[in-house]
Amino acid sequence: DAGVIQSPRHEVTEMGQEVTLRCKPISGHNSLFWYRQTMMRGLELLIYFNNNVPIDDSGMPEDRFSAKMPNASFSTLKIQPSEPRDSAVYFCASSLAGTGYGYTFGSGTRLTVV
Amino acid sequence: GESVGLHLPTLSVQEGDNSIINCAYSNSASDYFIWYKQESGKGPQFIIDIRSNMDKRQGQRVTVLLNKTVKHLSLQIAATQPGDSAVYFCAESAGSARQLTFGSGTQLTVLP
């Protein structure tokens, strides 16, 4: 099992550009979560999907952020336009309902917006 | 950039000693708790979990204690090793909610 796979590992972009972060959950997992980690705010839940359907996006900071899960094996988090305050590490995690809520996290994408 | 960051509690222990990391939670409806370990440059890694119908659970070298009366959770690591150096997070969820809410973390440093 390759675990949760995120890409890219690092992204440096200029303010105003569009950024797309990608996640492949563990095969068979039916819940997917996007978290953001910063020194200021720690780990914050942005959005989560259950069976590819967005369930709670109340953590998405603003309309510049959007997330999709077109199928069970792929999700994207898009920021358009990006701003320096979006700089953070973005984690994707997946889990299987009924086995407890323990997530498996990916290695994260470190985003720097200059 | 950010000029003010979270002040992570820190714990330094000698290799071989036992470590106790504490966590206070605020949601009295929380009924499921997890401890995660995060090493530098990596994602959080599941260590151990406990449901609210238990007050203690043991794993390999780790024990989680839950005190619902005072809403307190602790992680005990026996015979701490250098590889245990990391940031440790507690996380909680309530009822049917699938999402976890994470605490701010504790930095554990194991001294040789």
Side-chain angles (χ1 to χ4, degrees):
Chain A
D1 188 346
V4 176
I5 300 173
Q6 291 186 246
S7 64
R9 286 282 280 137
H10 301 275
E11 177 81 35
V12 180
T13 191
E14 291 186 345
M15 182 174 62
Q17 296 298 305
E18 177 180 295
V19 175
T20 299
L21 311 181
R22 297 173 175 81
C23 176
K24 176 178 167 53
I26 290 175
S27 177
H29 280 190
N30 59 359
S31 294
L32 184 141
F33 307 81
W34 282 101
Y35 277 83
R36 177 172 67 176
Q37 187 174 40
T38 62
M39 284 301 296
M40 285 283 288
R41 304 172 70 91
L43 271 164
E44 302 175 277
L45 176 68
L46 300 177
I47 186 172
Y48 84 93
F49 296 84
N50 200 38
N51 294 320
N52 311 340
V53 176
I55 302 300
D56 183 354
D57 66 353
S58 58
M60 296 285 262
E62 48 199 90
D63 292 344
R64 298 184 298 106
F65 284 68
S66 63
K68 294 182 179 179
M69 192 165 185
N71 56 62
S73 60
F74 184 65
S75 177
T76 59
L77 178 67
K78 185 177 294 186
I79 308 172
Q80 166 62 20
S82 59
E83 297 182 2
R85 61 191 168 123
D86 301 330
S87 298
V89 181
Y90 291 80
F91 287 104
C92 175
S94 70
S95 71
L96 178 62
T99 62
Y101 302 134
Y103 304 168
T104 300
F105 279 83
S107 297
T109 294
R110 180 173 293 278
L111 173 65
T112 303
V113 183
V114 298
Chain B
E2 297 159 346
S3 59
V4 178
L6 287 174
H7 177 64
L8 280 185
T10 59
L11 175 66
S12 296
V13 298
Q14 292 292 139
E15 182 177 354
D17 287 352
N18 296 335
S19 304
I20 300 177
I21 301 170
N22 297 302
C23 176
Y25 64 94
S26 56
N27 186 356
S28 57
S30 291
D31 58 2
Y32 182 69
F33 305 88
I34 306 179
W35 280 100
Y36 281 88
K37 171 187 180 183
Q38 186 176 24
E39 297 174 275
S40 181
K42 298 183 179 180
Q45 179 184 10
F46 176 94
I47 301 174
I48 191 168
D49 61 357
I50 189 168
R51 296 193 181 276
S52 59
N53 60 352
M54 304 172 67
D55 53 21
K56 180 179 180 179
R57 191 165 188 221
Q58 289 184 292
Q60 186 178 12
R61 281 201 309 118
V62 294
T63 301
V64 55
L65 299 177
L66 174 63
N67 185 330
K68 295 181 287 295
T69 302
V70 295
K71 297 200 284 288
H72 183 267
L73 196 66
S74 69
L75 177 70
Q76 300 178 1
I77 304 173
T80 313
Q81 303 169 0
D84 294 328
S85 292
V87 177
Y88 289 81
F89 293 94
C90 64
E92 59 183 295
S93 72
S96 60
R98 296 303 323 283
Q99 63 267 44
L100 291 171
T101 300
F102 284 80
S104 58
T106 296
Q107 173 73 58
L108 174 66
T109 302
V110 181
L111 305 172

mmCIF file of all heavy atoms in Angstrom, chain A residues 24-58:
data_model
loop_
_atom_site.group_PDB
_atom_site.id
_atom_site.type_symbol
_atom_site.label_atom_id
_atom_site.label_comp_id
_atom_site.label_asym_id
_atom_site.label_seq_id
_atom_site.Cartn_x
_atom_site.Cartn_y
_atom_site.Cartn_z
ATOM 1 N N LYS A 24 -4.187 11.501 -3.954
ATOM 2 C CA LYS A 24 -4.715 10.169 -4.252
ATOM 3 C C LYS A 24 -4.877 9.445 -2.919
ATOM 4 O O LYS A 24 -3.884 9.144 -2.243
ATOM 5 C CB LYS A 24 -3.763 9.404 -5.158
ATOM 6 C CG LYS A 24 -4.178 7.977 -5.460
ATOM 7 C CD LYS A 24 -3.199 7.315 -6.410
ATOM 8 C CE LYS A 24 -3.403 5.809 -6.494
ATOM 9 N NZ LYS A 24 -4.785 5.435 -6.810
ATOM 10 N N PRO A 25 -6.101 9.167 -2.503
ATOM 11 C CA PRO A 25 -6.299 8.501 -1.205
ATOM 12 C C PRO A 25 -5.936 7.023 -1.282
ATOM 13 O O PRO A 25 -5.684 6.489 -2.369
ATOM 14 C CB PRO A 25 -7.798 8.676 -0.959
ATOM 15 C CG PRO A 25 -8.394 8.740 -2.335
ATOM 16 C CD PRO A 25 -7.367 9.440 -3.176
ATOM 17 N N ILE A 26 -5.935 6.384 -0.146
ATOM 18 C CA ILE A 26 -5.697 4.942 -0.103
ATOM 19 C C ILE A 26 -6.871 4.225 -0.764
ATOM 20 O O ILE A 26 -8.043 4.558 -0.502
ATOM 21 C CB ILE A 26 -5.507 4.475 1.347
ATOM 22 C CG1 ILE A 26 -4.168 4.996 1.883
ATOM 23 C CG2 ILE A 26 -5.580 2.957 1.460
ATOM 24 C CD1 ILE A 26 -3.921 4.701 3.345
ATOM 25 N N SER A 27 -6.554 3.267 -1.593
ATOM 26 C CA SER A 27 -7.589 2.531 -2.304
ATOM 27 C C SER A 27 -8.546 1.879 -1.318
ATOM 28 O O SER A 27 -8.120 1.212 -0.364
ATOM 29 C CB SER A 27 -6.933 1.452 -3.177
ATOM 30 O OG SER A 27 -7.915 0.686 -3.834
ATOM 31 N N GLY A 28 -9.837 2.102 -1.535
ATOM 32 C CA GLY A 28 -10.840 1.520 -0.655
ATOM 33 C C GLY A 28 -11.321 2.467 0.427
ATOM 34 O O GLY A 28 -12.385 2.245 1.027
ATOM 35 N N HIS A 29 -10.555 3.515 0.710
ATOM 36 C CA HIS A 29 -11.008 4.500 1.684
ATOM 37 C C HIS A 29 -12.122 5.340 1.071
ATOM 38 O O HIS A 29 -12.073 5.687 -0.114
ATOM 39 C CB HIS A 29 -9.849 5.393 2.113
ATOM 40 C CG HIS A 29 -8.967 4.767 3.131
ATOM 41 N ND1 HIS A 29 -7.973 5.484 3.813
ATOM 42 C CD2 HIS A 29 -8.912 3.515 3.619
ATOM 43 C CE1 HIS A 29 -7.373 4.669 4.656
ATOM 44 N NE2 HIS A 29 -7.904 3.478 4.556
ATOM 45 N N ASN A 30 -13.134 5.673 1.872
ATOM 46 C CA ASN A 30 -14.264 6.385 1.321
ATOM 47 C C ASN A 30 -14.436 7.798 1.882
ATOM 48 O O ASN A 30 -15.394 8.486 1.551
ATOM 49 C CB ASN A 30 -15.569 5.591 1.512
ATOM 50 C CG ASN A 30 -15.856 5.307 2.971
ATOM 51 O OD1 ASN A 30 -15.084 5.678 3.845
ATOM 52 N ND2 ASN A 30 -16.981 4.657 3.224
ATOM 53 N N SER A 31 -13.531 8.214 2.744
ATOM 54 C CA SER A 31 -13.558 9.589 3.242
ATOM 55 C C SER A 31 -12.220 10.245 2.954
ATOM 56 O O SER A 31 -11.163 9.619 3.117
ATOM 57 C CB SER A 31 -13.835 9.627 4.748
ATOM 58 O OG SER A 31 -15.134 9.147 5.026
ATOM 59 N N LEU A 32 -12.286 11.504 2.533
ATOM 60 C CA LEU A 32 -11.065 12.241 2.207
ATOM 61 C C LEU A 32 -11.148 13.633 2.830
ATOM 62 O O LEU A 32 -12.209 14.270 2.797
ATOM 63 C CB LEU A 32 -10.885 12.353 0.693
ATOM 64 C CG LEU A 32 -9.595 13.028 0.211
ATOM 65 C CD1 LEU A 32 -9.028 12.324 -1.010
ATOM 66 C CD2 LEU A 32 -9.803 14.500 -0.057
ATOM 67 N N PHE A 33 -10.021 14.050 3.400
ATOM 68 C CA PHE A 33 -9.979 15.301 4.144
ATOM 69 C C PHE A 33 -8.819 16.160 3.626
ATOM 70 O O PHE A 33 -7.736 15.642 3.367
ATOM 71 C CB PHE A 33 -9.753 15.029 5.633
ATOM 72 C CG PHE A 33 -10.729 14.047 6.234
ATOM 73 C CD1 PHE A 33 -10.545 12.683 6.084
ATOM 74 C CD2 PHE A 33 -11.820 14.493 6.961
ATOM 75 C CE1 PHE A 33 -11.437 11.765 6.631
ATOM 76 C CE2 PHE A 33 -12.721 13.588 7.521
ATOM 77 C CZ PHE A 33 -12.531 12.225 7.357
ATOM 78 N N TRP A 34 -9.047 17.449 3.550
ATOM 79 C CA TRP A 34 -7.972 18.406 3.267
ATOM 80 C C TRP A 34 -7.761 19.265 4.513
ATOM 81 O O TRP A 34 -8.713 19.869 5.042
ATOM 82 C CB TRP A 34 -8.332 19.313 2.091
ATOM 83 C CG TRP A 34 -8.168 18.687 0.739
ATOM 84 C CD1 TRP A 34 -9.149 18.164 -0.064
ATOM 85 C CD2 TRP A 34 -6.949 18.541 0.009
ATOM 86 N NE1 TRP A 34 -8.616 17.702 -1.233
ATOM 87 C CE2 TRP A 34 -7.266 17.924 -1.224
ATOM 88 C CE3 TRP A 34 -5.615 18.883 0.259
ATOM 89 C CZ2 TRP A 34 -6.297 17.627 -2.189
ATOM 90 C CZ3 TRP A 34 -4.665 18.592 -0.694
ATOM 91 C CH2 TRP A 34 -5.008 17.969 -1.909
ATOM 92 N N TYR A 35 -6.510 19.295 4.979
ATOM 93 C CA TYR A 35 -6.122 20.102 6.127
ATOM 94 C C TYR A 35 -5.044 21.094 5.698
ATOM 95 O O TYR A 35 -4.273 20.838 4.775
ATOM 96 C CB TYR A 35 -5.551 19.234 7.258
ATOM 97 C CG TYR A 35 -6.583 18.605 8.156
ATOM 98 C CD1 TYR A 35 -7.216 17.422 7.783
ATOM 99 C CD2 TYR A 35 -6.915 19.173 9.383
ATOM 100 C CE1 TYR A 35 -8.163 16.838 8.619
ATOM 101 C CE2 TYR A 35 -7.853 18.585 10.226
ATOM 102 C CZ TYR A 35 -8.474 17.420 9.839
ATOM 103 O OH TYR A 35 -9.404 16.839 10.665
ATOM 104 N N ARG A 36 -4.966 22.191 6.421
ATOM 105 C CA ARG A 36 -3.896 23.167 6.224
ATOM 106 C C ARG A 36 -3.176 23.325 7.560
ATOM 107 O O ARG A 36 -3.822 23.407 8.612
ATOM 108 C CB ARG A 36 -4.478 24.506 5.775
ATOM 109 C CG ARG A 36 -3.452 25.612 5.607
ATOM 110 C CD ARG A 36 -4.054 26.844 4.975
ATOM 111 N NE ARG A 36 -5.031 27.511 5.822
ATOM 112 C CZ ARG A 36 -5.620 28.658 5.492
ATOM 113 N NH1 ARG A 36 -5.346 29.234 4.330
ATOM 114 N NH2 ARG A 36 -6.496 29.214 6.310
ATOM 115 N N GLN A 37 -1.851 23.365 7.501
ATOM 116 C CA GLN A 37 -1.062 23.516 8.726
ATOM 117 C C GLN A 37 -0.190 24.750 8.630
ATOM 118 O O GLN A 37 0.613 24.897 7.704
ATOM 119 C CB GLN A 37 -0.198 22.281 8.987
ATOM 120 C CG GLN A 37 0.521 22.315 10.332
ATOM 121 C CD GLN A 37 1.256 21.014 10.631
ATOM 122 O OE1 GLN A 37 1.864 20.395 9.755
ATOM 123 N NE2 GLN A 37 1.187 20.562 11.879
ATOM 124 N N THR A 38 -0.330 25.641 9.606
ATOM 125 C CA THR A 38 0.517 26.821 9.715
ATOM 126 C C THR A 38 0.970 26.970 11.154
ATOM 127 O O THR A 38 0.369 26.395 12.079
ATOM 128 C CB THR A 38 -0.244 28.106 9.312
ATOM 129 O OG1 THR A 38 -1.350 28.276 10.220
ATOM 130 C CG2 THR A 38 -0.767 28.044 7.892
ATOM 131 N N MET A 39 2.016 27.730 11.344
ATOM 132 C CA MET A 39 2.481 27.985 12.702
ATOM 133 C C MET A 39 1.452 28.784 13.478
ATOM 134 O O MET A 39 1.293 28.616 14.681
ATOM 135 C CB MET A 39 3.816 28.728 12.666
ATOM 136 C CG MET A 39 4.987 27.843 12.320
ATOM 137 S SD MET A 39 5.187 26.496 13.493
ATOM 138 C CE MET A 39 5.565 27.411 14.986
ATOM 139 N N MET A 40 0.751 29.671 12.779
ATOM 140 C CA MET A 40 -0.224 30.530 13.448
ATOM 141 C C MET A 40 -1.442 29.746 13.939
ATOM 142 O O MET A 40 -1.929 29.988 15.043
ATOM 143 C CB MET A 40 -0.695 31.619 12.480
ATOM 144 C CG MET A 40 0.287 32.723 12.249
ATOM 145 S SD MET A 40 0.318 33.863 13.618
ATOM 146 C CE MET A 40 -1.245 34.702 13.393
ATOM 147 N N ARG A 41 -1.941 28.829 13.121
ATOM 148 C CA ARG A 41 -3.238 28.229 13.397
ATOM 149 C C ARG A 41 -3.214 26.714 13.556
ATOM 150 O O ARG A 41 -4.263 26.103 13.786
ATOM 151 C CB ARG A 41 -4.213 28.626 12.284
ATOM 152 C CG ARG A 41 -4.352 30.142 12.101
ATOM 153 C CD ARG A 41 -5.161 30.465 10.863
ATOM 154 N NE ARG A 41 -6.556 30.121 11.040
ATOM 155 C CZ ARG A 41 -7.487 30.943 11.511
ATOM 156 N NH1 ARG A 41 -7.149 32.185 11.841
ATOM 157 N NH2 ARG A 41 -8.735 30.548 11.644
ATOM 158 N N GLY A 42 -2.044 26.117 13.445
ATOM 159 C CA GLY A 42 -1.969 24.670 13.603
ATOM 160 C C GLY A 42 -2.631 23.946 12.443
ATOM 161 O O GLY A 42 -2.619 24.422 11.312
ATOM 162 N N LEU A 43 -3.221 22.799 12.729
ATOM 163 C CA LEU A 43 -3.888 21.990 11.719
ATOM 164 C C LEU A 43 -5.363 22.359 11.647
ATOM 165 O O LEU A 43 -6.102 22.213 12.618
ATOM 166 C CB LEU A 43 -3.777 20.505 12.076
ATOM 167 C CG LEU A 43 -2.569 19.748 11.573
ATOM 168 C CD1 LEU A 43 -2.416 18.431 12.318
ATOM 169 C CD2 LEU A 43 -2.666 19.484 10.077
ATOM 170 N N GLU A 44 -5.782 22.832 10.493
ATOM 171 C CA GLU A 44 -7.169 23.249 10.302
ATOM 172 C C GLU A 44 -7.814 22.398 9.211
ATOM 173 O O GLU A 44 -7.236 22.241 8.139
ATOM 174 C CB GLU A 44 -7.247 24.694 9.821
ATOM 175 C CG GLU A 44 -6.624 25.737 10.690
ATOM 176 C CD GLU A 44 -6.686 27.083 9.985
ATOM 177 O OE1 GLU A 44 -5.806 27.353 9.137
ATOM 178 O OE2 GLU A 44 -7.623 27.863 10.252
ATOM 179 N N LEU A 45 -9.012 21.908 9.485
ATOM 180 C CA LEU A 45 -9.760 21.185 8.462
ATOM 181 C C LEU A 45 -10.347 22.184 7.475
ATOM 182 O O LEU A 45 -11.028 23.138 7.863
ATOM 183 C CB LEU A 45 -10.880 20.374 9.108
ATOM 184 C CG LEU A 45 -11.792 19.640 8.139
ATOM 185 C CD1 LEU A 45 -11.033 18.518 7.427
ATOM 186 C CD2 LEU A 45 -13.000 19.070 8.866
ATOM 187 N N LEU A 46 -10.094 21.951 6.204
ATOM 188 C CA LEU A 46 -10.645 22.814 5.168
ATOM 189 C C LEU A 46 -11.962 22.259 4.634
ATOM 190 O O LEU A 46 -12.971 22.954 4.557
ATOM 191 C CB LEU A 46 -9.646 22.969 4.019
ATOM 192 C CG LEU A 46 -8.296 23.575 4.380
ATOM 193 C CD1 LEU A 46 -7.378 23.605 3.170
ATOM 194 C CD2 LEU A 46 -8.458 24.972 4.956
ATOM 195 N N ILE A 47 -11.937 20.977 4.257
ATOM 196 C CA ILE A 47 -13.104 20.344 3.656
ATOM 197 C C ILE A 47 -12.958 18.841 3.767
ATOM 198 O O ILE A 47 -11.833 18.334 3.839
ATOM 199 C CB ILE A 47 -13.254 20.749 2.165
ATOM 200 C CG1 ILE A 47 -14.548 20.222 1.546
ATOM 201 C CG2 ILE A 47 -12.034 20.304 1.357
ATOM 202 C CD1 ILE A 47 -14.826 20.761 0.148
ATOM 203 N N TYR A 48 -14.081 18.132 3.813
ATOM 204 C CA TYR A 48 -13.968 16.690 3.693
ATOM 205 C C TYR A 48 -15.079 16.122 2.828
ATOM 206 O O TYR A 48 -16.160 16.702 2.708
ATOM 207 C CB TYR A 48 -13.863 16.000 5.053
ATOM 208 C CG TYR A 48 -15.153 15.713 5.788
ATOM 209 C CD1 TYR A 48 -15.800 14.490 5.653
ATOM 210 C CD2 TYR A 48 -15.667 16.637 6.680
ATOM 211 C CE1 TYR A 48 -16.948 14.208 6.374
ATOM 212 C CE2 TYR A 48 -16.818 16.366 7.394
ATOM 213 C CZ TYR A 48 -17.454 15.157 7.243
ATOM 214 O OH TYR A 48 -18.590 14.888 7.959
ATOM 215 N N PHE A 49 -14.755 15.005 2.217
ATOM 216 C CA PHE A 49 -15.648 14.289 1.299
ATOM 217 C C PHE A 49 -15.965 12.918 1.881
ATOM 218 O O PHE A 49 -15.111 12.277 2.493
ATOM 219 C CB PHE A 49 -14.974 14.077 -0.065
ATOM 220 C CG PHE A 49 -14.656 15.333 -0.814
ATOM 221 C CD1 PHE A 49 -13.483 16.042 -0.546
ATOM 222 C CD2 PHE A 49 -15.491 15.802 -1.813
ATOM 223 C CE1 PHE A 49 -13.171 17.193 -1.251
ATOM 224 C CE2 PHE A 49 -15.179 16.949 -2.526
ATOM 225 C CZ PHE A 49 -14.020 17.643 -2.243
ATOM 226 N N ASN A 50 -17.177 12.488 1.657
ATOM 227 C CA ASN A 50 -17.563 11.127 1.982
ATOM 228 C C ASN A 50 -18.165 10.519 0.725
ATOM 229 O O ASN A 50 -19.114 11.085 0.160
ATOM 230 C CB ASN A 50 -18.565 11.101 3.132
ATOM 231 C CG ASN A 50 -18.633 9.748 3.807
ATOM 232 O OD1 ASN A 50 -17.615 9.078 3.967
ATOM 233 N ND2 ASN A 50 -19.822 9.343 4.208
ATOM 234 N N ASN A 51 -17.603 9.396 0.272
ATOM 235 C CA ASN A 51 -18.049 8.791 -0.982
ATOM 236 C C ASN A 51 -18.076 9.820 -2.117
ATOM 237 O O ASN A 51 -19.053 9.901 -2.879
ATOM 238 C CB ASN A 51 -19.422 8.141 -0.802
ATOM 239 C CG ASN A 51 -19.368 6.955 0.144
ATOM 240 O OD1 ASN A 51 -18.418 6.168 0.119
ATOM 241 N ND2 ASN A 51 -20.370 6.845 1.011
ATOM 242 N N ASN A 52 -17.035 10.599 -2.207
ATOM 243 C CA ASN A 52 -16.790 11.593 -3.258
ATOM 244 C C ASN A 52 -17.673 12.829 -3.158
ATOM 245 O O ASN A 52 -17.577 13.728 -4.000
ATOM 246 C CB ASN A 52 -16.964 10.991 -4.663
ATOM 247 C CG ASN A 52 -16.215 9.692 -4.839
ATOM 248 O OD1 ASN A 52 -15.288 9.392 -4.097
ATOM 249 N ND2 ASN A 52 -16.646 8.901 -5.810
ATOM 250 N N VAL A 53 -18.527 12.910 -2.154
ATOM 251 C CA VAL A 53 -19.444 14.037 -2.016
ATOM 252 C C VAL A 53 -18.919 14.972 -0.927
ATOM 253 O O VAL A 53 -18.616 14.506 0.180
ATOM 254 C CB VAL A 53 -20.863 13.554 -1.642
ATOM 255 C CG1 VAL A 53 -21.784 14.735 -1.399
ATOM 256 C CG2 VAL A 53 -21.406 12.642 -2.732
ATOM 257 N N PRO A 54 -18.823 16.278 -1.223
ATOM 258 C CA PRO A 54 -18.384 17.198 -0.171
ATOM 259 C C PRO A 54 -19.419 17.275 0.946
ATOM 260 O O PRO A 54 -20.595 17.509 0.688
ATOM 261 C CB PRO A 54 -18.235 18.530 -0.914
ATOM 262 C CG PRO A 54 -19.098 18.409 -2.117
ATOM 263 C CD PRO A 54 -19.101 16.965 -2.494
ATOM 264 N N ILE A 55 -18.964 17.055 2.177
ATOM 265 C CA ILE A 55 -19.882 17.006 3.314
ATOM 266 C C ILE A 55 -19.823 18.310 4.117
ATOM 267 O O ILE A 55 -20.835 18.830 4.536
ATOM 268 C CB ILE A 55 -19.553 15.819 4.231
ATOM 269 C CG1 ILE A 55 -19.625 14.506 3.449
ATOM 270 C CG2 ILE A 55 -20.474 15.802 5.447
ATOM 271 C CD1 ILE A 55 -20.985 14.217 2.846
ATOM 272 N N ASP A 56 -18.621 18.799 4.348
ATOM 273 C CA ASP A 56 -18.460 19.989 5.175
ATOM 274 C C ASP A 56 -17.313 20.809 4.612
ATOM 275 O O ASP A 56 -16.163 20.365 4.652
ATOM 276 C CB ASP A 56 -18.176 19.590 6.622
ATOM 277 C CG ASP A 56 -18.078 20.798 7.557
ATOM 278 O OD1 ASP A 56 -18.116 21.949 7.080
ATOM 279 O OD2 ASP A 56 -17.960 20.586 8.774
ATOM 280 N N ASP A 57 -17.630 21.963 4.078
ATOM 281 C CA ASP A 57 -16.586 22.848 3.541
ATOM 282 C C ASP A 57 -16.527 24.138 4.341
ATOM 283 O O ASP A 57 -16.023 25.158 3.848
ATOM 284 C CB ASP A 57 -16.822 23.131 2.060
ATOM 285 C CG ASP A 57 -18.099 23.936 1.812
ATOM 286 O OD1 ASP A 57 -18.861 24.143 2.780
ATOM 287 O OD2 ASP A 57 -18.337 24.336 0.662
ATOM 288 N N SER A 58 -17.004 24.111 5.553
ATOM 289 C CA SER A 58 -17.052 25.327 6.367
ATOM 290 C C SER A 58 -15.664 25.853 6.717
ATOM 291 O O SER A 58 -15.519 27.014 7.082
ATOM 292 C CB SER A 58 -17.849 25.085 7.656
ATOM 293 O OG SER A 58 -17.281 24.038 8.407
#
